[in-house]
DNA sequence: TTAGTTGCAAAGGCTTTGCACGCGC
DNA sequence: GCGCGTGCAAAGCCTTTGCAACTAA
């Protein structure tokens, strides 16, 4: 789990207690937390941490490519620490639960040149939607 | 183009001038407008239309399945009138331009049962990202 | 030391809501 | 005329920003 912190330090990241706590919260498990949830969990360990710092830190982790920003609905963005393994998301239409999934093949391959309109296409994000077992 | 208005009327939609104008704006072309852009275009024809009414109307069109809500970035949602033809989106990472595209095959088929975790998967949305010709 | 980071509070963008008036059916 | 739709303004949620105090390296 300290892979993340080590990588960050070796990149010259200034390691403050706030940043360490945010990184630890995200490193815990493959959840998909909102900025506010990250703040809440971080505040359990470091009560005075401010929302602004959480937003700043999340933004940097995204820029560094260590965390993915996920907009599954129109509400708050969620942050996905599982950035090292390509994966897609399966979202419950009822309760909003998110699971990481790995479809077969490369989604990019499904877009033929004739459908690329001169774009230099780099990535494909897939969001599967349906009802989870609990909501069905 | 009045397909849309007729469909709505036959569904018992109360037809006001505001709703007609919003429907006409969306029916014009396959753009991907924000609520505010819809409001601006609607206001060209009906100056006193309020933002709240535009939001209400867009929400209803989405509920009725006549318009798709697209969250391509963390900013404002966009509304896509091309709801009758299955398609995906190609977004420019630099300028945000959106194009409708049609990949080969059904994206749903790429998710094997073992990766569905008991979900009743209904839809797959794909967002391709890259640089458009103008930004490359 | 010193440049980068933090916290606070305020502002900002987008969207929803409450309520009285207005209008399609 | 009835009931839903509208406009206005205010509030709401999520996020960013300005600035003085602080601190890791």
């Amino acid at each position: 789990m300290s892979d993340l912190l080590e990588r960050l330090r070796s990149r010259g990241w200034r390691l403050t207690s706030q940043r360490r706590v945010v990184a630890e919260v995200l490193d815990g498990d493959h959840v998909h937390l909102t900025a506010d949830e990250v703040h809440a969990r971080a505040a359990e360990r470091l009560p005075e941490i401010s929302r602004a710092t959480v937003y700043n830190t999340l933004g940097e982790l995204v820029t560094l490519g260590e965390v993915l920003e996920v907009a599954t609905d129109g509400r708050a963005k969620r942050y996905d620490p599982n950035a090292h393994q390509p994966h897609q998301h399966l979202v419950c239409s009822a309760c909003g639960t998110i699971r990481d999934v790995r479809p077969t093949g490369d989604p990019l391959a499904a877009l033929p040149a004739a459908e690329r309109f001169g774009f230099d296409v780099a990535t494909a994000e897939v969001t599967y939607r349906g009802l989870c077992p609990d909501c069905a």
Side-chain angles (χ1 to χ4, degrees), chain A:
Chain A
M1 92 157 210
S2 40
D3 281 353
L4 175 56
L5 289 176
E6 254 170 56
R7 262 199 310 275
L8 294 174
R9 190 171 323 161
S10 70
R11 289 205 195 183
W13 219 47
R14 192 165 187 162
L15 191 54
T16 65
S17 50
Q18 291 86 343
R19 288 175 168 191
R20 186 172 36 72
V21 168
V22 169
E24 283 171 5
V25 165
L26 286 171
D27 219 23
D29 43 7
H30 283 185
V31 287
H32 303 80
L33 301 167
T34 63
D36 213 53
E37 287 163 350
V38 172
H39 175 252
R41 297 202 183 186
E44 289 172 10
R45 306 186 183 194
L46 191 67
E48 285 74 34
I49 191 170
S50 75
R51 249 170 272 266
T53 295
V54 170
Y55 276 105
N56 287 340
T57 304
L58 289 173
E60 281 160 21
L61 289 171
V62 170
T63 299
L64 292 170
E66 295 291 347
V67 162
L68 264 35
E69 214 174 57
V70 187
T72 51
D73 54 0
R75 317 294 300 165
K77 292 177 216 155
R78 294 184 172 272
Y79 294 87
D80 180 351
N82 188 12
H84 305 307
Q85 237 182 348
H87 68 280
Q88 309 300 339
H89 292 123
L90 173 53
V91 181
C92 177
S93 320
C95 67
T97 296
I98 306 176
R99 283 209 75 121
D100 290 355
V101 294
R102 293 161 65 72
T104 58
D106 181 0
L108 267 183
L111 195 67
E115 285 287 310
R116 299 195 178 195
F117 301 99
F119 277 59
D120 181 16
V121 184
T123 62
E125 297 160 21
V126 186
T127 304
Y128 298 97
R129 293 183 193 279
L131 289 176
C132 73
D134 290 348
C135 293

